[in-house]
Amino acid sequence: MACYEGATIHIVSDGKRCPMYDDPDADGHEDPHSIISPPQKYIEAINGAKFAVGLTLEPTFDFANCDAVRVKFFFETSSFVQGDLRRIDAEGGAVDRRTRSVSSMVSFCSSTGQWQKADLTFGELKVAETSESKVTLNDIKNLGRIQVVWQRIHWGPKTLQFVTKEPSAISEVSEKVLKGKAIENAIKLDHYHIQQKPTETYVEGVPLRGLLGREVRLNILYRSKRTLQMLGCIPRTPSPILQNSRAEEAVVKLDDPQEELRALRARVAELENRTSSTPQPHVKSEQHRSASKVKREREDKANDVKAKKIRTSRRTEVVDLTAD
């Protein structure tokens, strides 16, 4: 929500108040009484979500002897809805008596000859290279914008007035007309149903004299989440961090020796666990190898001695060659 000169402006979408973000390009010279450069806020628009925009006067609001505060809600095209907050009701009254809001629009349908009511909804804006729609630059000058205007007034003469103009909605534009604007959403009128012919009494409003009689304006720009991130209104979604990342394991607070020691111990424990869990190949110990070697040597020596005994145990026969 946004607060200006004793009034709070809010937008409710899908039953929740939309956070309002500051304009990153604001230079501090915005004037709520200016038609050219009023302050503006950003909100996130979700396709298909109904919304309502409202204004609530604070309990300390200075009426300055006016009859009422006239509130007007302008939507991207020339459509608008207005209503009065009567001083006799709002001054010192409950919140609902100090609030004016709008969530739908009533209009006359020339094709059916009936009055109808439709909900205000955020819709998708289709951008095509070429579009058959006859949308002009003048039509989209307020595209993606809701403007709230309020003013202290004295009541003038009463007249009867009917809303006979059919509200128009832009659903498709060409790239040439859009001229690179970062707009992906548009206001759509949805869920039409038959409405009885309204009987509205229009009261002419005469602004108070002096500074308190000036109009106060606020522009609310609705954009997709991606566009808000690109504009810098909200932070970008951080990239996911891999759980097994070595970089994450290596992060150590070097200025804290205890933290570094704990990290090293954890690393050593991890390596020991890996080593103990890995099956080791069977390797004969040095002692076993030495014993085997000694055994073989003893067997070889025993075989040599046996062979010698066999050779020495033979009797040598003496042949006398001198005998007859």
Side-chain angles (χ1 to χ4, degrees):
M1 59 184 179
C3 300
Y4 291 93
E5 300 193 7
T8 301
I9 300 89
H10 58 271
I11 289 186
V12 177
S13 179
D14 281 349
K16 298 179 181 179
R17 285 202 175 189
C18 298
M20 290 192 178
Y21 308 103
D22 294 331
D23 182 6
D25 297 327
D27 57 6
H29 295 87
E30 294 76 21
D31 183 6
H33 303 289
S34 172
I35 299 177
I36 300 175
S37 58
Q40 58 187 22
K41 296 285 187 178
Y42 282 87
I43 65 168
E44 180 182 351
I46 301 177
N47 290 338
K50 298 180 183 179
F51 73 92
V53 55
L55 178 144
T56 300
L57 300 177
E58 299 298 326
T60 57
F61 182 82
D62 185 7
F63 285 88
N65 296 322
C66 69
D67 293 325
V69 174
R70 176 152 295 174
V71 185
K72 296 181 180 180
F73 303 99
F74 292 89
F75 303 101
E76 54 192 23
T77 57
S78 57
S79 302
F80 74 94
V81 178
Q82 72 177 24
D84 293 346
L85 288 170
R86 301 194 307 172
R87 176 188 174 187
I88 191 173
D89 296 330
E91 193 171 26
V95 175
D96 59 338
R97 291 181 174 270
R98 293 183 280 110
T99 300
R100 178 67 64 184
S101 62
V102 57
S103 61
S104 59
M105 296 189 70
V106 178
S107 62
F108 180 77
C109 180
S110 58
S111 59
T112 61
Q114 294 177 323
W115 288 86
Q116 58 187 8
K117 185 178 182 180
D119 296 327
L120 294 171
T121 308
F122 290 122
E124 180 183 3
L125 179 65
K126 297 180 180 179
V127 181
E129 294 183 1
T130 59
S131 176
E132 296 180 357
S133 63
K134 298 180 180 180
V135 178
T136 64
L137 291 174
N138 187 58
D139 295 331
I140 70 165
K141 65 180 181 180
N142 298 324
L143 188 64
R145 189 192 79 176
I146 300 171
Q147 187 178 70
V148 184
V149 181
W150 66 100
Q151 183 181 32
R152 299 173 179 86
I153 63 168
H154 287 303
W155 281 329
K158 296 182 179 181
T159 59
L160 293 178
Q161 184 186 43
F162 298 101
V163 181
T164 56
K165 182 179 179 180
E166 296 182 43
S168 58
I170 300 174
S171 60
E172 182 177 346
V173 295
S174 64
E175 292 181 352
K176 181 179 180 181
V177 174
L178 196 59
K179 286 189 173 181
K181 293 183 179 179
I183 302 176
E184 299 178 351
N185 304 91
I187 292 177
K188 183 174 71 171
L189 299 175
D190 204 0
H191 305 99
Y192 281 90
H193 53 272
I194 305 301
Q195 176 79 12
Q196 292 184 350
K197 180 180 179 179
T199 303
E200 294 187 2
T201 302
Y202 174 76
V203 180
E204 182 180 348
V206 180
L208 262 64
R209 294 181 179 180
L211 297 179
L212 291 179
R214 295 178 297 174
E215 289 184 331
V216 185
R217 301 173 184 271
L218 172 68
N219 290 340
I220 303 173
L221 308 182
Y222 53 90
R223 299 290 188 269
S224 65
K225 182 178 181 179
R226 184 182 68 170
T227 301
L228 292 177
Q229 291 175 335
M230 293 172 59
L231 294 174
C233 297
I234 58 177
R236 294 179 179 270
T237 305
S239 302
I241 301 176
L242 298 178
Q243 295 182 354
N244 297 327
S245 174
R246 288 294 181 189
E248 184 179 353
E249 295 178 1
V251 174
V252 177
K253 295 181 179 179
L254 299 179
D255 56 342
D256 189 349
Q258 295 295 330
E259 185 69 21
E260 184 177 2
L261 181 59
R262 283 193 292 269
L264 291 174
R265 287 176 177 173
R267 183 62 178 159
V268 171
E270 180 184 359
L271 292 175
E272 290 178 349
N273 291 335
R274 292 182 181 179
T275 304
S276 61
S277 61
T278 303
Q280 299 293 332
H282 180 70
V283 180
K284 293 183 178 180
S285 62
E286 185 67 25
Q287 182 178 1
H288 182 70
R289 289 196 297 267
S290 300
S292 300
K293 184 177 180 181
V294 172
K295 182 178 181 181
R296 287 195 299 271
E297 290 178 353
R298 288 177 178 175
E299 290 178 352
D300 293 342
K301 289 181 179 179
N303 293 334
D304 292 342
V305 172
K306 185 176 182 180
K308 290 180 179 179
K309 287 182 179 179
I310 294 174
R311 286 196 296 271
T312 58
S313 62
R314 292 180 180 178
R315 294 179 60 184
T316 305
E317 296 181 2
V318 179
V319 179
D320 186 2
L321 299 177
T322 61
D324 292 338

